[in-house]
Amino acid sequence: MLHRILIIAIAALLATGCATGPFGHGGGKAEQELAAAIHQYEDGDYKSAARRFQEALDEGLRARADKVTAHKYLAFIHCASNREKACREEFRLALELDPGFELSQAEQGHPIWGPVYRNVRASLGAGKARGR
């Protein structure tokens, strides 16, 4: 199920207009770290994935969508590891980068990070300008 969610998330990212490839503006080090982090996440190596997501951010991901993706996955990892404060912070960072950022229906329905995401989104008032 998680693999299916990830495929949907990546497809949505591609549909948002990343014209030069699936992760940002080409194959820079940060974008390569992001791709490797997603692969490790999909393989269940969450500790290594978290390190690589942070490295991708630290290396300077260029595309806003890539930054949002990194923060989203970091939030998932923190929530699943019972680090709710860190999870909330990552969702907050993602929403500050893109106030229109939304989890998929399946992701929103997740019993661990779904409620945290909805709470952070509501506390920031995200989406209100779009009639929500």
Side-chain angles (χ1 to χ4, degrees), residues 54-109:
Q54 191 59 56
E55 286 175 9
L57 288 163
D58 293 346
E59 286 289 331
L61 288 167
R62 290 175 238 164
R64 181 178 66 173
D66 289 347
K67 293 174 189 175
V68 170
T69 296
H71 287 298
K72 176 181 95 164
Y73 282 110
L74 282 168
F76 290 173
I77 292 167
H78 289 310
C79 274
S81 300
N82 293 315
R83 294 187 300 263
E84 186 176 326
K85 184 177 179 182
C87 177
R88 294 177 62 76
E89 177 66 8
E90 294 298 337
F91 279 136
R92 183 188 65 76
L93 291 168
L95 285 161
E96 285 180 353
L97 283 167
D98 179 5
F101 161 66
E102 292 186 22
L103 296 179
S104 71
Q105 287 297 95
E107 291 168 339
Q108 285 187 40

